[in-house]
Amino acid sequence: MARRERVMRMSVEQPLWRALTGYRVLTMLYAIGLFATAHEELDRPWVAIAYYAVLAGWTLGTLRCVANAASCTKWFLVIDLAVALVGIVLTPLADSHQRIVDGGPTLPSIWTAGAVLAYAIKGGWRWAALASLLVGVANVAQRGAFSRDTIHNVLLVCIASIAIGYVVEVARASERTLARALEIEAATRERERLARDIHDSVLQVLAMVQRRGTALGGEAAELGRLAGEQEVALRTLVAGGMVPASRASEDASQGALVRAVEEPDDESGTAHDTAPRDLRPLLVPHAGSKVTLSEPGAPVLLAPPVARELAAAVSAALDNVRRHAGDGAHAWILVEDEPDEVIVTVRDDGPGIPEGRLAEAEGEGRLGVALSIRGRLRDIGGTAELISVPGQGTEVELRVPREAARTARGKAGKA
């Protein structure tokens, strides 16, 4: 049966890169605007013009370098910070000493913060601290002395960039943790689905071969013994540990990747059949001399995957009746189409289940109730409740919320 693989990409830091791209362009325009309003006051305006030509070309030409973490290479960061530092150091050549002492802006002005923020987003708070330190040294050097305004501006850039770098590191760690959790959940669901299929087919065949071989004796008994060994080994494998994490969940440079296998939405293996499915025809084959089926007179419409899983859970419950209640046991299936949910009850008149037997069976790898019944109902948003009284039989109540049926009818109306 064909299945689709969905790849989900999650990235908490990607919005920061987009914001940084806009910040660099706006601050470049701001720096040029400051020069345009005060160029007459500069001693050597041609130095500023030459620098702003380089700054504009560099900013616009490297926009793709701040699009994401992969594009922002170490060489880009080094050159980008160098452009900011050169602009700071060139400020005394373009502007008068008095304007600098009075607190006049450097040539790159607040564009410098963009270079430092690139370090923070790319490498975290340690890279941000290094870039901030270099910017602080350059500012003190161009002024020739410490001043309150200089210290204030340097500390502001330093604290802001370090804080953003730390937030990015925390976000990346959370991203990897979430990706790992989603991957484990997807792998667990796929493992449970495979376990249900194996339980409903291979394990039952092996168990039957073991019983029949033991009853026949001779060479058939040896075949039954081997089948029993394989059944135990397969049950152990099915109930085994979790699959290891893939490297995809640990790659946060482009956002964490999570791969989830999706089951097809119809029996043919395609996802285009959205028509509702009547549950009743799926349950009719179970009716017989030992199984009584009671159903509504009107169709019980459910989404196709919901109807199939619910019918499979009923089949698993009846299989348990045949295996554990004995050949003389009788079973009843009751289908109720309520306004808020669909209820299917499977009841038998067998000896019932001893207290603690379900937990013991699950520990032995016998997962008929845990996976084939409860697991299926959980996957479709329903619940399964098992009530058993020794000597009075067992009742399995399967409930599916009405939302599943309502969704199916809505889709049918659009078809």
Side-chain angles (χ1 to χ4, degrees):
M1 184 180 293
R3 286 179 172 81
R4 297 177 285 119
E5 184 185 70
R6 182 177 74 254
V7 178
M8 299 177 291
R9 185 177 300 278
M10 304 175 297
S11 179
V12 177
E13 66 184 75
Q14 193 57 42
L16 295 177
W17 288 111
R18 289 195 292 266
L20 179 60
T21 301
Y23 178 87
R24 288 167 62 87
V25 174
L26 293 176
T27 52
M28 176 203 70
L29 297 176
Y30 175 77
I32 295 176
L34 284 180
F35 165 73
T37 58
H39 68 280
E40 296 179 352
E41 303 178 18
L42 271 64
D43 292 346
R44 301 178 185 87
W46 59 270
V47 175
I49 293 174
Y51 175 77
Y52 288 128
V54 174
L55 181 66
W58 173 257
T59 301
L60 299 178
T62 58
L63 290 179
R64 61 181 181 83
C65 293
V66 289
N68 50 61
S71 301
C72 185
T73 63
K74 293 181 179 179
W75 280 112
F76 164 77
L77 291 174
V78 171
I79 299 174
D80 195 56
L81 185 61
V83 171
L85 296 178
V86 168
I88 295 173
V89 174
L90 286 178
T91 301
L93 298 178
D95 208 349
S96 64
H97 179 72
Q98 187 59 43
R99 273 175 48 86
I100 294 175
V101 172
D102 291 341
T106 60
L107 291 181
S109 185
I110 58 176
W111 185 90
T112 304
V116 177
L117 291 177
Y119 272 78
I121 301 175
K122 173 68 176 182
W125 70 268
R126 294 175 181 84
W127 289 25
L130 174 62
S132 300
L133 177 62
L134 295 176
V135 169
V137 171
N139 273 279
V140 172
Q142 68 94 16
R143 289 185 180 271
F146 287 97
S147 68
R148 180 178 298 177
D149 291 340
T150 302
I151 296 176
H152 176 268
N153 293 334
V154 169
L155 285 178
L156 182 62
V157 172
C158 183
I159 293 173
S161 60
I162 290 177
I164 292 176
Y166 179 75
V167 169
V168 169
E169 289 186 0
V170 173
R172 283 175 179 160
S174 301
E175 200 171 76
R176 289 191 294 268
T177 302
L178 176 61
R180 173 59 177 152
L182 292 176
E183 184 174 306
I184 290 176
E185 180 183 6
T188 301
R189 289 186 179 277
E190 179 64 6
R191 190 182 187 93
E192 288 182 355
R193 185 191 63 77
L194 293 174
R196 289 196 298 264
D197 292 343
I198 292 173
H199 177 273
D200 294 344
S201 56
V202 180
L203 289 177
Q204 292 184 19
V205 172
L206 291 175
M208 182 185 69
V209 172
Q210 181 189 22
R211 291 194 302 269
R212 294 291 295 167
T214 302
L216 293 174
E219 294 183 358
E222 177 63 16
L223 180 62
R225 185 185 66 80
L226 294 175
E229 292 177 355
Q230 294 303 311
E231 180 193 5
V232 173
L234 188 55
R235 287 187 186 278
T236 302
L237 178 63
V238 168
M242 208 66 66
V243 291
S246 73
R247 294 179 61 185
S249 64
E250 300 173 1
D251 180 11
S253 62
Q254 290 293 327
L257 293 176
V258 180
R259 287 178 172 82
V261 177
E262 294 183 346
E263 294 188 46
D265 292 335
D266 65 358
E267 291 180 339
S268 63
T270 64
H272 304 295
D273 182 12
T274 58
R277 188 83 175 269
D278 187 359
L279 177 64
R280 299 178 304 167
L282 299 179
L283 301 180
V284 167
H286 297 303
S289 59
K290 297 291 183 65
V291 180
T292 301
L293 174 63
S294 300
E295 58 187 15
V300 181
L301 298 179
L302 293 169
V306 174
R308 288 197 302 271
E309 291 298 290
L310 184 55
V314 172
S315 178
L318 292 175
D319 180 69
N320 285 337
V321 173
R322 287 189 292 269
R323 293 182 59 187
H324 304 297
D327 295 335
H330 197 96
W332 292 265
I333 304 175
L334 174 62
V335 181
E336 301 173 84
D337 193 1
E338 299 291 342
D340 57 344
E341 60 184 350
V342 174
I343 307 173
V344 180
T345 306
V346 180
R347 181 171 60 86
D348 67 71
D349 59 359
I353 303 175
E355 185 177 355
R357 176 54 189 155
L358 287 179
E360 180 183 346
E362 188 170 343
E364 296 172 353
R366 301 180 181 275
L367 306 175
V369 174
L371 294 182
S372 293
I373 299 177
R374 287 175 178 159
R376 279 193 163 97
L377 268 293
R378 183 184 65 245
D379 286 350
I380 60 177
T383 59
E385 183 178 356
L386 188 145
I387 302 173
S388 182
V389 178
Q392 299 183 24
T394 302
E395 179 177 303
V396 179
E397 188 177 74
L398 312 175
R399 293 176 176 267
V400 178
R402 172 50 57 194
E403 285 77 7
R406 185 177 296 121
T407 302
R409 292 194 178 99
K411 291 180 178 178
K414 296 177 182 179

